[in-house]
Amino acid sequence: MNSEQITAFLQEHWYIASVLIGAVILIGAIRKWNWLCDPTGTRDAHRHSRGYRRVVFFLLGVLLIVVSIWGFVLKLK
C-alpha cells in the first residue's frame, strides 16, 4: 500500500483509527504510562498534576471511542 491508498482508507474508515487512538490513550491513562501522564518538562507542570492529566486523558480516550462508535453506527445506516 502506498500513502495515497492509506490516506483514502483512513478517510473512508476514520472511525477505525479513532477507536485505536482512543483505546491507546484510555489504556495509557489507566496504567499510568509515563510518556502520556508525566508533566515533567512541560510549560504548565506546576499547574496540572499527574492525576489531573490522567483524568483528562481518560476522558479524551472515552470521547474518542464514543465518537468512533457513533460514526460507525451512522455509516451503517
Side-chain angles (χ1 to χ4, degrees):
M1 284 182 118
N2 60 18
S3 63
E4 289 94 18
Q5 291 173 328
I6 293 171
T7 303
F9 177 80
L10 288 176
Q11 286 176 345
E12 181 71 23
H13 305 290
W14 60 269
Y15 46 85
I16 295 172
S18 178
V19 78
L20 291 175
I21 293 168
V24 167
I25 290 174
L26 186 68
I27 292 168
I30 291 170
R31 299 196 38 94
K32 304 177 191 176
W33 287 347
N34 281 334
W35 63 269
L36 185 65
C37 301
D38 190 17
T40 306
T42 60
R43 293 188 319 255
D44 57 355
H46 63 282
R47 286 186 282 177
H48 304 298
S49 66
R50 184 181 184 95
Y52 175 81
R53 289 172 186 263
R54 286 185 63 210
V55 170
V56 168
F57 282 121
F58 179 84
L59 294 174
L60 177 64
V62 169
L63 179 68
L64 280 172
I65 292 170
V66 168
V67 167
S68 62
I69 290 171
W70 180 43
F72 178 70
V73 169
L74 290 177
K75 180 100 171 160
L76 290 177
K77 291 183 179 184

